Amino acid sequence: MNLFAVFNRDGGTFRTTDMDAYCARAVEAFRARGHEIECHVVSGDQVVETMEKGAATSGVEGLIAGGGDGTISAAAGIAWKSGIALGVVPAGTMNLFARSLKLPLDIWQVLDALASATPENIDIASANGRSFVHQFSAGMHARLVRYRNSMTFASRLGKIRASTRAAIGVMFNPPEFEVEFKAEGKVGHRKVSAISVSNNEFGPDPLMYADSLTRGHLGFYIADPLKPAGVAKLALDILRGRLKENPSVTAMTATEVELHFPRERHDIRCVIDGELLPMDRDVLLKIHAGELKVLVNEPQQREEIEQDGSGI
């Protein structure tokens, strides 16, 4: 394959990596397996522009993207729209998409895995046309990210500490808002503290990522209005891998979810693959089954699930 690699030098692990040595190793690994690769190391504000340029270059068959979840999410959208393959180098804090793909989380080991990988078609999702590979969320998660973004941190450990402090802040001040939804023929109007729509259902891991990205359904989760004790119980159930067993959580699967927020709210926000963004009062979420081509070293088996989705 003819590959174009973009590494975000401001992304997590790359901040303390000799990027000249890393690019040399990438070229060595891919060329040893018959690929041609062109490497670009750029700052965070140049990542998207560079990836778009690479994807539009004649003859490029694959985009190798290295960075945190935001970089990888942007790369997935570009690869999806361009119809080329995506290779993921997990250099961020959580690396949730890489975990779903069962890739090595070490930035050096993953080069050999990607170089010998086979392209596979997996699912990608969208919210009002904006693609995402992990999740769309509103409510508690958006408030957590807003709290965390107001803090200063300069390292992975610092980000984890800021996230912990933000989570405690949300626990003592959980949001409550109204939402109308339509999913797989089910219609509801609820007061909630949190909404999450994931690219395939979350597995049991406390980090909340999908075990498989080939089931062709969104995971749809709603949490009832919560008090601090309820937030603490929800957090404990997530840590125990029992999200869907929590009595405050409603969970189902769907190929399409429509959300409407009936009350005008100031500065309404959502989180899409870790990025805090303005949110429309009407949001249409869709699964695009098998439309994203990725490089993986462990092909995922396609599984059949209930046509009506699973609910609690």
Side-chain angles (χ1 to χ4, degrees):
M1 297 180 71
N2 185 13
L3 304 169
F4 190 96
V6 181
F7 301 131
N8 181 357
R9 70 159 64 98
D10 299 325
T13 310
F14 285 151
R15 294 178 184 175
T16 56
T17 300
D18 181 338
M19 294 308 296
D20 288 337
Y22 190 77
C23 285
R25 179 70 188 94
V27 170
E28 178 186 6
F30 281 94
R31 286 186 175 171
R33 291 165 178 84
H35 305 291
E36 287 299 320
I37 185 168
E38 181 180 324
C39 293
H40 298 261
V41 179
V42 299
S43 58
D45 58 357
Q46 296 178 307
V47 166
V48 172
E49 178 184 356
T50 306
M51 292 191 301
E52 289 177 337
K53 178 182 176 181
T57 301
S58 177
V60 168
E61 301 168 277
L63 175 65
I64 307 297
D69 287 327
T71 296
I72 301 306
S73 179
I78 292 168
W80 175 46
K81 292 176 182 178
S82 303
I84 61 176
L86 172 68
V88 174
V89 175
T93 304
M94 306 302 287
N95 303 310
L96 298 169
F97 188 46
R99 293 175 190 271
S100 290
L101 295 177
K102 300 175 177 62
L103 289 169
L105 299 182
D106 180 89
I107 60 171
W108 299 90
Q109 292 177 6
V110 78
L111 292 176
D112 290 317
L114 293 174
S116 59
T118 302
E120 180 186 4
N121 291 327
I122 64 165
D123 307 335
I124 189 169
S126 66
N128 285 353
R130 180 186 175 113
S131 64
F132 63 94
V133 292
H134 177 51
Q135 74 166 335
F136 162 96
S137 60
M140 288 196 298
H141 188 206
R143 182 165 290 184
L144 184 152
V145 174
R146 180 162 60 85
Y147 285 174
R148 187 189 66 201
N149 289 354
S150 68
M151 304 174 192
T152 301
F153 51 88
S155 67
R156 178 176 180 177
L157 182 58
K159 184 176 181 179
I160 293 172
R161 287 173 176 165
S163 295
T164 301
R165 290 171 57 196
I168 293 171
V170 172
M171 184 177 72
F172 286 104
N173 185 29
E176 181 177 324
F177 56 99
E178 289 184 59
V179 63
E180 298 172 4
F181 65 87
K182 182 177 180 181
E184 297 295 323
K186 299 178 178 69
V187 179
H189 183 176
R190 302 264 295 271
K191 283 189 175 181
V192 300
S193 279
I195 295 171
S196 178
V197 182
S198 58
N199 177 20
N200 286 265
E201 285 186 283
F202 291 138
D205 192 280
L207 291 179
M208 296 174 63
Y209 60 87
D211 287 337
S212 171
L213 295 173
T214 58
R215 295 188 177 114
H217 281 72
L218 301 165
F220 179 34
Y221 307 87
I222 295 177
D224 293 337
L226 297 171
K227 301 298 183 183
V231 178
K233 177 171 173 49
L234 176 59
L236 179 60
D237 284 341
I238 289 173
L239 289 172
R240 296 164 66 195
R242 297 180 178 179
L243 169 66
K244 292 194 288 186
E245 296 175 31
N246 183 280
S248 298
V249 172
T250 299
M252 64 185 75
T253 58
T255 57
E256 190 171 297
V257 175
E258 296 178 48
L259 301 177
H260 172 66
F261 301 93
R263 298 199 174 204
E264 187 75 47
R265 297 165 61 218
H266 175 65
D267 194 28
I268 185 170
R269 296 295 178 117
C270 65
V271 175
I272 297 180
D273 284 349
E275 185 176 359
L276 190 65
L277 299 167
M279 182 170 68
D280 296 330
R281 290 180 64 190
D282 293 284
V283 183
L284 176 61
L285 300 117
K286 296 182 178 181
I287 194 79
H288 305 274
E291 292 191 13
L292 177 64
K293 185 184 297 184
V294 294
L295 299 177
V296 294
N297 57 341
E298 291 187 29
Q300 301 187 21
Q301 297 296 319
R302 294 199 168 270
E303 301 177 34
E304 295 295 329
I305 64 172
E306 300 172 34
Q307 292 298 315
D308 295 333
S310 56
I312 297 176

